[in-house]
Amino acid sequence: MLNGQRRISPAGRPSFTDTYQRYNLGAHARIKRFDLQAEQWWGSDGNSDGFGTPLGSSGGYLRLKYYTTEHLYFAARYDAGAAPYAIRSVVFYAAGHVTPHARLLIERRQALSGGGGSFGAALTVGFPWPSKL
C-alpha cells in the first residue's frame, strides 16, 4: 500500500493538494534470457480536481524482456490505466549500455485507441561511478 500527497499546479488556477492511496499486486519471473513482469494497481484520489472531487483509479502493465546480452535487451509492454477514462497502449523498446556508466533507451509507443504513435529516447548516466569501473 502507498499513501501520499501531491501538490498540483494547473495553469491559470490556484495550486491544490491531492491525497492519494494505492494498492498493488505484482509478479515477476526470469527464465534464462526472458524476463516477465506484471503489476496491477487500484487506488483513489481524495481531491482529483482541486474542488474536493474523489476519483477512483486502476491500471497496470505486462512486460516481456529478452536479453541478447547481459546489458542489452528488447522489450514489449502493454500498459493500461483508468482514471476515470480507460487508456491502453503498447510500447516496444530496446535498451543497452553505451558506456559502463550510461544506458540508452529507444522506444515506440502506440495508443490502442488509434492515432499516430510516438518515438522517444532517454540517456541515463549513473554517478557517482563505481570505484572499480
Side-chain angles (χ1 to χ4, degrees):
M1 182 167 76
L2 175 68
N3 292 309
Q5 291 183 344
R6 60 183 167 194
R7 191 89 177 135
I8 300 174
S9 301
R13 290 192 32 218
S15 297
F16 62 92
T17 301
D18 177 33
T19 302
Y20 60 87
Q21 185 175 53
R22 303 284 186 268
Y23 300 91
N24 80 324
L25 179 63
H28 180 248
R30 184 157 185 183
I31 301 170
K32 296 184 181 184
R33 294 179 179 259
F34 290 94
D35 185 293
L36 181 65
Q37 186 169 349
E39 183 176 310
Q40 175 67 45
W41 55 266
W42 303 269
S44 61
D45 290 60
N47 184 15
S48 63
D49 58 3
F51 300 106
T53 306
L55 178 67
S57 62
S58 66
Y61 66 90
L62 176 65
R63 181 191 68 205
L64 178 64
K65 287 182 180 178
Y66 177 74
Y67 284 86
T68 58
T69 70
E70 186 178 351
H71 299 290
L72 174 66
Y73 64 83
F74 296 90
R77 188 178 73 231
Y78 170 77
D79 290 334
Y85 305 107
I87 300 168
R88 308 283 186 261
S89 61
V90 177
V91 184
F92 298 99
Y93 56 104
H97 284 224
V98 291
T99 75
H101 312 291
R103 182 181 76 140
L104 177 64
L105 179 135
I106 301 170
E107 73 175 21
R108 165 80 175 156
R109 179 178 300 271
Q110 179 64 54
L112 295 179
S113 60
S118 63
F119 283 98
L123 179 65
T124 305
V125 179
F127 62 90
W129 292 352
S131 60
K132 297 185 180 187
L133 288 179

